[in-house]
Amino acid sequence: MGFARTCSVALVGVEGVVVEVQADLEPGVAAFTLVGLPDKSLTESRDRVRAAVVNSGAEWPQRKLTVGLSPASVPKAGSGFDLAVACAVLGAAERIDPRVLADIVMIGELGLDGRVRPVRGILPAVLAAAGAGYEQVVVPECAAAEASLVPGVSVLGVRSLRQLIAVLADEPVPDEEPDEPGRPDPLLAGLRVPGTGAATAMHSNGAAQQDSGHDLADVVGQHSARTAVEVAAAGGHHLFLEGPPGAGKTMLAERLPAILPRLAREESLEVTAVHSVAGLLPPGKPLIDTPPYCAPHHSATMQSLVGGGPGVARPGAVSLSHRGVLFLDETPEFSSHALDALRQPLESGHVVIARSAGVVRFPAQFLMVLAYAGPDMFNGR
Ligand SMILES: Nc1ncnc2c1ncn2[C@@H]1O[C@H](COP(=O)(O)OP(=O)(O)OP(=O)(O)O)[C@@H](O)[C@H]1O
Ligand SMILES: [Mg+2]
C-alpha cells in the first residue's frame, strides 16, 4: 500500500551501525507499531513523531503503520531515530517521494512541536555513515558543524521537521525562529544529565583545558619535577608525584597536556567522537585538537571512571582522557575497586563494558598521573 525507507545510525560505544528505518502502511485500523529491538526511549519516539508530524502541518496517516529498524539484532537506544522514523512515515504516506529518502542518513530527536533537537554522538554516527558509503546526512542545525568534520559527506542542518519536509519535497523552505541568543540551550544542558556519570565527576575536560592557558613556564623552581613531567610527555610515561601539600603537584599535572604534541587529524576525530558520545563538546567549537585532561574526584564511582550508564553508554574518565592525561589526585583515597578497574584500560588501551544489551568498547589510551601528599607511600615514613 505504502512503503518507504531511510537510514539512521545506532551507536554501540563510539562505533556506529547504519540502521535502515522502514515504514509500511497497510489498510486497517489505525495503529503504530515499532519493531527491531528498540529501547524505552526509542519506543517513546512513536508519540514524539506523531505529535511532531501533526504540528509540522503534515497529515498523520490513519492506517495500520509498522516501522521496522533493521538489522533487528543490533540494540537501539536513544531518541536520535526520531527524524528518520518521521521521514519514513511521511514517505510511506507519499507526503515525501520515497525515492528521495532511501540514501539519506538522518539523525536527530524531534520535539513535540516539530523542532529538531541534538543528540549525543553525532560525530561517530556520521563517521559510521560515511564509512558505510552514505554521502548525505541530515542532522540538527546546531550539530551541523560537528557533522561537517567528517570528510566526503554533505551535511544538511535542519531546525525543524517542517524545514526538512520542504527540502525533501522541493518546496520553499520556511524560516524558523532562531533560539533566543544568549540563553543556554536547555537541550544542550540536558545532554549533561547529572548523576549518569561522565559529566559529573570531572571538574575539567578537554574543552575546558584548551582555554585554560596553563603553561609549564608558570612553575617556579621544581627542576626535577619539571624534568619528570617533560620526560613523561616525551616518552609517554605514567607519572607519580609525591610531595607535601602546596608543593605544586596539581599545578604540574594540569600543565602536562600543554607540552604534549597536538593531536593529529585522526586522533582529534577519535577524541572528539568520545566527547561527542559523552555530550561534552563545546557548542560552536566541535573539534578537540589538543590532548584532553581529566581529573575525576576521588569519590568517583566505577561507572564515572570506566563508563556505562543507561541508554547509549557514556564514556568514563579513562575514555575522556583518551590521548591525553588522566590525573588521579590523592590516589590512595580512590576505592580499590576503582583503581583495579584501571588495569584493563592501562594494559589494552581500551575499556570494554559488558551490559545486558551487549558489549560496549571505548578507547582509553591515556597518560596517567598520580599524586599523593601524605607520608612516603613506599618507605612508610
Ligand atoms: N613551583 C611553583 N611555582 C609556582 N607556583 C606554585 C609552585 N608550587 C605551588 N605553587 C602555587 O601553589 C598553589 C598550590 O599548588 P598545588 O595545588 O599544585 O599543590 P599540590 O601539591 O597539588 O597540593 P595538595 O597536596 O594540597 O593538592 C598553586 O596553585 C600555585 O599557585
Ligand atoms: Mg593538589
Side-chain angles (χ1 to χ4, degrees):
M1 177 87 190
F3 176 83
R5 62 190 170 87
T6 185
C7 298
S8 194
V9 178
L11 278 184
V12 184
V14 279
E15 285 148 47
V17 180
V18 175
V19 170
E20 196 173 279
V21 180
Q22 306 168 334
D24 178 62
L25 273 177
E26 303 276 341
V29 179
F32 185 176
T33 319
L34 188 64
V35 295
L37 217 56
D39 80 337
K40 179 91 173 58
S41 56
L42 185 48
T43 311
E44 286 171 355
S45 95
R46 289 184 307 182
D47 298 322
R48 280 195 302 272
V49 167
R50 190 197 317 249
V53 166
V54 173
N55 289 330
S56 300
E59 200 180 321
W60 185 260
Q62 294 296 340
R63 278 172 284 164
K64 183 170 177 288
L65 169 64
T66 309
V67 170
L69 308 167
S70 112
S73 56
V74 178
K76 299 156 198 85
S79 48
F81 293 88
D82 288 3
L83 205 54
V85 171
C87 286
V89 171
L90 290 170
E94 288 174 6
R95 171 69 181 83
I96 304 173
D97 183 352
R99 285 168 301 178
V100 178
L101 294 173
D103 293 325
I104 306 181
V105 173
M106 305 186 186
I107 304 149
E109 176 184 313
L110 284 173
L112 300 185
D113 53 357
R115 282 209 294 175
V116 181
R117 328 199 99 201
V119 289
R120 294 191 277 131
I122 294 273
L123 176 65
V126 177
L127 280 169
Y134 289 86
E135 288 170 359
Q136 286 177 300
V137 297
V138 178
V139 296
E141 192 188 47
C142 54
E146 184 183 332
S148 305
L149 295 173
V150 181
V153 175
S154 94
V155 175
L156 173 66
V158 288
R159 203 176 273 274
S160 69
L161 180 60
R162 197 194 317 263
Q163 279 189 337
L164 181 57
I165 296 173
V167 172
L168 295 175
D170 217 359
E171 293 163 6
V173 179
D175 266 349
E176 288 292 337
E177 275 190 27
D179 295 328
E180 228 167 279
R183 191 188 282 182
D185 187 332
L187 206 268
L188 287 176
L191 292 173
R192 306 175 186 206
V193 184
T196 49
T200 49
M202 321 302 149
H203 57 68
S204 171
N205 63 50
Q209 181 63 20
Q210 272 177 302
D211 305 322
S212 63
H214 285 150
D215 189 340
L216 197 59
D218 301 338
V219 180
V220 179
Q222 297 287 19
H223 292 292
S224 53
R226 280 180 52 169
T227 308
V229 168
E230 285 160 8
V231 171
H237 305 294
H238 303 299
L239 194 62
F240 175 60
L241 297 167
E242 190 190 6
K249 302 183 292 297
T250 305
M251 193 180 182
L252 283 160
E254 283 175 347
R255 281 152 182 79
L256 178 51
I259 57 168
L260 287 174
R262 277 183 97 83
L263 300 176
R265 178 78 189 174
E266 281 291 301
E267 294 171 336
S268 298
L269 285 178
E270 253 176 57
V271 171
T272 309
V274 174
H275 282 73
S276 170
V277 174
L280 291 176
L281 283 187
K285 191 184 176 310
L287 189 69
I288 298 179
D289 55 1
T290 54
Y293 171 80
C294 193
H297 187 256
H298 59 70
S299 63
T301 59
M302 277 272 282
Q303 186 181 304
S304 72
L305 275 180
V306 298
V312 179
R314 284 170 194 263
V318 292
S319 302
L320 292 173
S321 48
H322 177 56
R323 303 220 177 265
V325 174
L326 176 69
F327 179 47
L328 304 180
D329 207 357
E330 296 301 338
T331 309
E333 302 290 331
F334 281 81
S335 77
S336 53
H337 284 306
L339 293 176
D340 279 345
L342 297 176
R343 286 186 196 199
Q344 189 213 6
L346 278 171
E347 280 171 17
S348 62
H350 60 256
V351 59
V352 177
I353 307 159
R355 293 151 35 110
S356 58
V359 172
V360 179
R361 188 175 182 276
F362 285 117
Q365 216 179 314
F366 51 85
L367 215 157
M368 186 169 69
V369 180
L370 310 178
Y372 182 51
D376 189 316
M377 248 173 103
F378 298 116
N379 299 326
R381 275 186 275 135

